[in-house]
Amino acid sequence: MTGPNGWEGDEMADQVWLEEMRQVLDEVYRDRDRAAVREVYSCASAHVHLTADMLAQLNEVPEGAYTRREMAEAINGVVRGRGRQDTLGLLERPPPIEAVESTAEAARAAWDDTPLEALNPTPAASEPEVPEFREPGRPPPEDEER
């Protein structure tokens, strides 16, 4: 049977699971950096769209305090351990990495004869200046001012 959004029943439940778990994490981590698994479970159990099977996955996350990212990774680990990553999906997937040669900017650069090196992002911060190492007791080089 197809759901209201055109999804099959199980697929719709899987999409709901992802959205509900993201909402749970948003609620739990709204005012804090770290939270215990039991706090996440307590919040999740108040969400009516999360089934007992889905909540059982939270029980498999080892006890402890987690950052939001660590919690998402731990939940993803449980989903992978159950072999359900293809059906349920994963929380906070990293954005796909795309080769610079495959981007629209690269296509435009090819038309403009712009070298691809110009498309690479520049580092956010310059490397800190590190003084040159000199053995103790050794005089500075002659070209260095005293």
Side-chain angles (χ1 to χ4, degrees), residues 23-106:
Q23 187 176 356
V24 165
L25 295 179
D26 287 343
E27 290 172 19
V28 171
Y29 290 97
R30 181 175 299 130
D31 299 325
R32 63 182 105 174
D33 293 332
R34 299 185 78 74
V37 175
R38 66 183 169 278
E39 294 170 290
V40 175
Y41 185 90
S42 175
C43 183
S45 64
H47 285 252
V48 294
H49 296 293
L50 292 175
T51 65
D53 179 55
M54 294 171 180
L55 290 173
Q57 294 179 75
L58 282 176
N59 280 333
E60 295 179 34
V61 174
E63 280 297 320
Y66 294 83
T67 64
R68 181 192 168 99
R69 178 182 217 82
E70 292 167 343
M71 181 62 70
E73 289 172 5
I75 293 170
N76 286 344
V78 171
V79 171
R80 283 188 197 101
R82 288 179 163 207
R84 299 195 60 200
Q85 65 273 13
D86 293 334
T87 56
L88 283 181
L90 299 172
L91 294 167
E92 299 179 12
R93 284 189 210 169
I97 298 173
E98 184 177 17
V100 70
E101 294 85 1
S102 303
T103 63
E105 291 84 3

Side-chain angles (χ1 to χ4, degrees), residues 110-124:
W111 287 102
D112 296 340
D113 292 329
T114 304
L116 287 177
E117 292 80 32
L119 299 176
N120 288 329
T122 56

Side-chain angles (χ1 to χ4, degrees), residues 132-146:
E132 187 176 322
F133 176 77
R134 189 172 58 225
E135 289 185 35
R138 195 162 197 214
E142 293 178 16
D143 60 294
E144 187 176 296
E145 289 184 25
R146 295 182 188 234

